[in-house]
Amino acid sequence: MEHSRLLELLGEMSLEEKINQLFQGNSMFYEEDGIATGPASQQGFTEKTIRETGTVLGIIGAAKVKKIQKEHMENHPHHIPLVFMADIINGCRTVFPIPLAQGAAFNPELAKTGAEVAAREASASGIQVTFSPMADLVRDARWGRVMESTGEDTYLNSRYAEALVRGYQGDDPKQPGKIGACVKHFAGYGAPTAGRDYNNAELSERTLRDDYLPAYAAAVKAGALMAMTSFNTLNRIPSSANRWLLRQVLREEMGFDGALISDWAAIEEIMNHGMAADRREAAKLALEAGTDIDMMTTCYSNHLKELIESGELSEALLDTSVLRVLELKNRLGLFENPYKDADEEAEKRLILCQEHREKAKNAAKETFVLLENNGILPLKREEKTAFIGPYVEEKSMLGAWSIFADPEDTVTIREGVTSYGANALFASGCSVLDPQTSIMGMSELYKNAKTQTDLDELLGEAVDTALRADKVVLCIGEHVAQSGEAASRGDITIPECQKKLLREVARVNKNLVAVLFNGRPLDIREIKSLAKAILVVWMPGTEGGNAITEVLYGKTSPSGKLPMSFPCCVGQVPVFYNEFKTGRPNDAQSKNRFLSRYLDIPNEPLYPFGYGLSYTGFTISPVRLDGNTLTQEGTLTASVTVKNTGKRRGAETVQLYIRDDAGSVVRPVRELRGFQKLWLEPEEEREIRFEITAELLKFHDIHMKYQAEPGSFTVFIGNDSRTQNQAAFTLL
Ligand code: GLC
């Protein structure tokens, strides 16, 4: 539809119609017989609001979407279509690894492929926009939503955010099989005080701009149709009411011109935070700040009319937001085709098809991180191996946001190993959760009804099984509902019943491999002390069992690198590689007490950002620079030669870090500014190059000016964030 027609349509709409266009409801409003009453009316939503609403979330299924859309447009005074939105975070029905796992692949193209698959399945099921990518930088493993991020590094997250937008939207989200992207949670949601969800984030403007904002900006630059405000207060201002953040930073500086939606009830929560006396004031503050859509509260629908009629808000302000929502529908082609790709036949053909399963399996294999291996891996098909642990037959390994997927579609480890034809024994040994505990997930209550007697019996069987095997693969980890939204944890270890299983099995069989399921970095010191190999598989998705089997048996070498540091214990958190030196840098050899360190734990994480092993070995040559000075407009080329020195094909992710040796403000000890993942055959070697420009050296200086300051810099090139393989240059 031409923009001029949109303006005409806007002009034809009544004040109430325009206001209702800014409301987003969910499936509870649409019972089988059409407009719901029940919970909706009990929560103060009127029939008119629902009849004239602009968007809806959480409704999926081609037939259901088409029915609702048809009825909605028939009932709407101007027959304006709904936009159907949903959380398609790491897949729709074919589930890919959680985003934190995908970050471990150091392969944004892989994430783009996953987003393309998700978009194909979701759009056939009627979804037109996904609430993804989540571009929040995360440094605190206590926070459950680290599982939705791609990790602790700004540069890595930015590459992923843009890749995901391109995967969902393609060149034009109107195209078949494409959906709109919504970058979230703007901004600074990943820095909640004490790692407790929904808590205040206190960030200096320099930290916000240098570390937290670039990934959102990358998604906006890639063309994300929408953005979502975050629950948290940023420096004591709720994001949905933060005019500076939304108008100056997001719209003026980043150039975002799409529709901005609040997170669930976040507008009403301006009142709970204590910045609005009531919903009326919350509505005023949010619209003034530029939040266009009110997700799931009556703030806009019940209060904007009086605010405008009283002159406290201008109708022009309202029109600006309504026009953005109409533009969104236009960018999705909904005025011409309100059903977009909803198609029952396509739904049947695409969902969980073999091509999608294969892509999910290949993605999962690249996300696994091998933290330890004394040579016990890869396994041999013929050697008797006992697969023991609650994850041997567990199907819930899809991640907390796989809300439209059916765990029954998951391939378990037992199924994967069995179809591989390995010489294997199996025993669960215990439950994932401790006895008699229950935990609320995103969509269901998980209960472990097993009694201690049950567990004692399971444990006994497991120990007997371990005694009969050459090797043991212990399949343990967090419960899927122990990460995700509202899943902050103060203790980041595995459940007690699993620790007991680990100890008892290790007592009778030392040839122990740990396969770890987790939605966050965990404190795995005890596992490290007892296992001869540790493979982190995160929450690997629908094809998890097959992917884990193929990596354990060496069909593919593990190639993942940690996208987030694994702390040695929760007392270290937040811990991240690009920290600051301090005025008293720690020196483990020094006897000087007065250094920046702990009395009882090391400063260094157990495993650092960028770390991960392979079944083969690699050498990386000393860094070569094609000069030792760089001008503001010039390019400096850094190169190394990488060689596979082992007997297996494998991948190495070569990482480029840069340290600004001195700045007008203190600078991190190093920052990732490039990475290349290369697969090499045994004995194969390859030269790789990185182009360094002043753009990579920019930061917000003492005057908050974004620039690269002349001076000395150090380049590090290696296979994790501790590499000392370095060379120096000067920026002129
Ligand atoms: C949730 C989440 C957000 C999600 C939204 C809609 O509370 O914070 O990430 O997209 O609500 O489900």
Side-chain angles (χ1 to χ4, degrees):
M1 182 187 284
E2 290 299 320
H3 186 73
S4 55
R5 176 64 195 116
L6 289 183
L7 293 173
E8 284 171 15
L9 176 58
L10 181 68
E12 293 159 6
M13 294 166 75
S14 70
L15 177 59
E16 283 183 292
E17 256 193 275
K18 288 191 284 189
I19 290 168
N20 289 330
Q21 196 61 210
L22 303 188
F23 168 65
Q24 177 166 98
N26 73 345
S27 53
M28 79 170 173
F29 296 91
Y30 301 91
E31 306 295 347
E32 284 317 309
D33 59 356
I35 298 293
T37 49
S41 58
Q42 285 157 15
Q43 293 185 32
F45 298 105
T46 66
E47 294 273 354
K48 184 172 173 48
T49 297
I50 298 161
R51 188 167 56 248
E52 296 176 359
T53 187
T55 63
V56 67
L57 87 148
I59 295 176
I60 191 168
K64 179 185 278 191
V65 165
K66 286 159 72 172
K67 175 176 180 289
I68 289 172
Q69 184 73 299
K70 180 174 180 295
E71 287 169 5
H72 180 84
M73 290 180 70
E74 284 167 358
N75 294 327
H76 192 283
H78 284 92
H79 315 298
I80 298 172
L82 281 167
V83 185
F84 289 83
M85 306 187 187
D87 294 280
I88 308 295
I89 307 301
N90 49 300
C92 185
R93 291 293 306 281
T94 306
V95 178
F96 280 64
I98 56 174
L100 189 60
Q102 295 193 36
F106 274 69
N107 186 348
E109 278 308 299
L110 204 63
K112 179 169 176 281
T113 300
E116 288 166 346
V117 168
R120 272 201 293 278
E121 292 191 355
S123 62
S125 292
I127 299 302
Q128 298 152 353
V129 169
T130 178
F131 295 128
S132 175
M134 187 267 216
D136 301 314
L137 183 84
V138 294
R139 291 170 163 165
D140 192 324
R142 294 170 295 183
W143 192 48
R145 300 195 76 166
V146 301
M147 56 80 60
E148 296 174 60
S149 166
T150 46
E152 71 186 48
D153 182 73
T154 304
Y155 180 85
L156 184 68
N157 290 352
S158 301
R159 304 293 73 78
Y160 269 87
E162 58 200 21
L164 286 165
V165 170
R166 295 202 178 100
Y168 293 128
Q169 297 189 171
D171 296 331
D172 178 354
K174 275 199 201 76
Q175 292 308 308
K178 297 302 175 187
I179 55 178
C182 175
V183 60
K184 69 186 185 183
H185 305 81
F186 198 73
Y189 183 37
T193 301
R196 198 175 73 239
D197 209 351
Y198 315 122
N199 205 355
N200 180 51
E202 201 79 28
L203 296 170
S204 72
E205 183 176 347
R206 181 169 289 108
T207 298
L208 180 69
R209 288 184 177 280
D210 279 351
D211 301 343
Y212 286 81
L213 291 181
Y216 304 117
V220 169
K221 190 174 176 190
L225 293 191
M226 292 187 71
M228 181 188 290
T229 62
S230 59
F231 285 125
N232 57 289
T233 46
L234 176 61
N235 302 328
R236 305 173 203 185
I237 301 174
S239 296
S240 307
N242 192 327
R243 196 185 302 210
W244 170 79
L245 185 68
L246 305 184
R247 291 195 183 284
Q248 179 179 327
V249 176
L250 180 62
R251 295 217 184 263
E252 288 172 31
E253 293 178 17
M254 293 185 183
F256 177 66
D257 69 353
L260 179 59
I261 188 169
S262 76
D263 202 339
W264 187 297
I267 291 178
E268 184 172 87
E269 290 177 9
I270 297 168
M271 176 178 68
N272 302 347
H273 281 293
M275 189 172 153
D278 50 32
R279 288 176 179 77
R280 183 182 191 279
E281 186 179 10
K284 179 173 184 295
L285 291 171
L287 195 71
E288 284 175 336
T291 301
D292 298 318
I293 301 173
D294 176 2
M295 185 190 289
M296 288 301 291
T297 85
T298 59
C299 291
Y300 278 12
S301 52
N302 288 2
H303 298 289
L304 287 186
K305 184 168 187 285
E306 59 181 300
L307 283 163
I308 290 166
E309 287 173 344
S310 68
E312 291 174 76
L313 285 178
S314 73
E315 189 159 357
L317 186 67
L318 170 73
D319 288 354
T320 304
S321 288
V322 177
L323 188 57
R324 288 194 190 114
V325 175
L326 297 178
E327 280 283 12
L328 170 67
K329 299 179 183 191
N330 207 29
R331 288 174 175 171
L332 290 164
L334 298 184
F335 288 107
E336 291 76 25
N337 174 11
Y339 307 109
K340 200 167 182 308
D341 307 330
D343 180 320
E344 294 90 324
E345 188 281 325
E347 214 174 14
K348 288 193 186 72
R349 174 167 42 84
L350 289 170
I351 285 176
L352 289 159
C353 66
Q354 196 47 38
E355 178 202 340
H356 289 180
R357 278 186 173 271
E358 196 64 21
K359 286 180 174 176
K361 182 184 75 174
N362 293 335
K365 290 196 294 184
E366 277 208 45
T367 65
F368 300 159
V369 183
L370 184 64
L371 296 180
E372 298 287 347
N373 185 27
N374 75 338
I376 191 171
L377 290 178
L379 302 172
K380 297 177 183 64
R381 195 194 302 257
E382 65 282 357
E383 59 191 0
K384 188 179 286 186
T385 305
F387 287 82
I388 294 173
Y391 267 98
V392 169
E393 304 200 42
E394 179 59 61
K395 285 185 173 283
S396 289
M397 59 169 90
L398 305 177
W401 275 107
S402 53
I403 53 182
F404 302 112
D406 181 350
E408 284 311 304
D409 298 323
T410 306
V411 177
T412 65
I413 287 177
R414 178 166 192 157
E415 289 164 341
V417 169
T418 303
S419 61
Y420 182 69
N423 177 11
L425 306 168
F426 303 98
S428 62
C430 68
S431 308
V432 176
L433 291 171
D434 287 318
Q436 307 305 316
T437 58
S438 59
I439 195 168
M440 187 62 215
M442 296 299 282
S443 52
E444 62 181 296
L445 180 67
Y446 296 92
K447 281 184 76 63
N448 173 16
K450 283 192 173 58
T451 63
Q452 194 52 52
T453 309
D454 299 336
L455 287 180
D456 293 345
E457 200 174 298
L458 287 174
L459 184 59
E461 285 166 15
V463 172
D464 291 344
T465 306
L467 276 165
R468 291 162 33 216
D470 302 324
K471 295 179 181 178
V472 173
V473 176
L474 203 60
C475 306
I476 51 178
E478 270 190 317
H479 191 280
V480 67
Q482 285 184 294
S483 61
E485 185 172 349
S488 296
R489 297 180 65 199
D491 171 355
I492 54 173
T493 63
I494 60 175
E496 288 306 315
C497 59
Q498 295 187 37
K499 291 175 189 169
K500 187 173 180 185
L501 175 66
L502 165 67
R503 292 167 196 147
E504 291 302 312
V505 166
R507 194 169 46 78
V508 300
N509 193 323
K510 300 298 180 207
N511 290 326
L512 182 62
V513 173
V515 172
L516 186 69
F517 290 77
N518 52 305
R520 57 161 51 81
L522 295 176
D523 170 354
I524 58 173
R525 284 175 294 172
E526 185 171 18
I527 298 172
K528 178 178 180 181
S529 70
L530 294 171
K532 292 197 166 62
I534 301 174
L535 185 70
V536 174
V537 298
W538 315 97
M539 291 292 163
T542 305
E543 282 290 315
N546 285 330
I548 291 166
T549 300
E550 290 191 14
V551 168
L552 286 176
Y553 284 92
K555 199 172 173 188
T556 308
S557 169
S559 63
K561 300 281 186 177
L562 292 180
M564 194 175 174
S565 307
F566 266 52
C568 78
C569 63
V570 73
Q572 262 187 351
V573 167
V575 61
F576 46 94
Y577 83 93
N578 47 348
E579 59 177 3
F580 298 97
K581 282 187 286 191
T582 78
R584 299 192 176 188
N586 186 31
D587 170 0
Q589 311 311 320
S590 166
K591 295 284 179 272
N592 178 359
R593 174 189 174 95
F594 302 96
L595 299 177
S596 179
R597 64 183 175 191
Y598 303 94
L599 289 177
D600 53 353
I601 57 173
N603 288 12
E604 294 70 29
L606 198 63
Y607 297 100
F609 174 83
Y611 174 84
L613 301 174
S614 166
Y615 289 156
T616 185
F618 299 92
T619 55
I620 298 176
S621 72
V623 177
R624 297 182 293 270
L625 296 180
D626 68 351
N628 53 21
T629 59
L630 172 66
T631 63
Q632 292 287 344
E633 300 70 33
T635 300
L636 190 63
T637 300
S639 60
V640 292
T641 301
V642 187
K643 181 173 184 179
N644 179 344
T645 55
K647 298 188 174 13
R648 288 175 168 277
R649 180 175 184 271
E652 182 58 287
T653 298
V654 182
Q655 302 151 48
L656 169 81
Y657 296 90
I658 296 178
R659 179 179 68 212
D660 184 343
D661 297 326
S664 59
V665 295
V666 297
R667 307 283 293 117
V669 294
R670 62 178 74 188
E671 295 178 290
L672 183 73
R673 285 293 179 266
F675 57 88
Q676 294 183 39
K677 183 170 192 174
L678 53 159
W679 288 89
L680 297 175
E681 296 302 327
E683 296 310 309
E684 182 184 2
E685 64 178 28
R686 197 178 306 160
E687 181 186 67
I688 58 173
R689 299 161 179 254
F690 294 96
E691 304 298 325
I692 299 172
T693 62
E695 188 59 37
L696 291 180
L697 313 178
K698 288 183 176 179
F699 68 104
H700 287 82
D701 71 5
I702 189 77
H703 304 299
M704 287 304 285
K705 185 167 183 292
Y706 187 61
Q707 64 173 350
E709 292 179 340
S712 69
F713 289 81
T714 304
V715 177
F716 300 90
I717 299 182
N719 63 0
D720 70 36
S721 57
R722 290 174 307 193
T723 182
Q724 290 306 316
N725 188 25
Q726 59 189 277
F729 71 90
T730 302
L731 175 67
L732 302 178

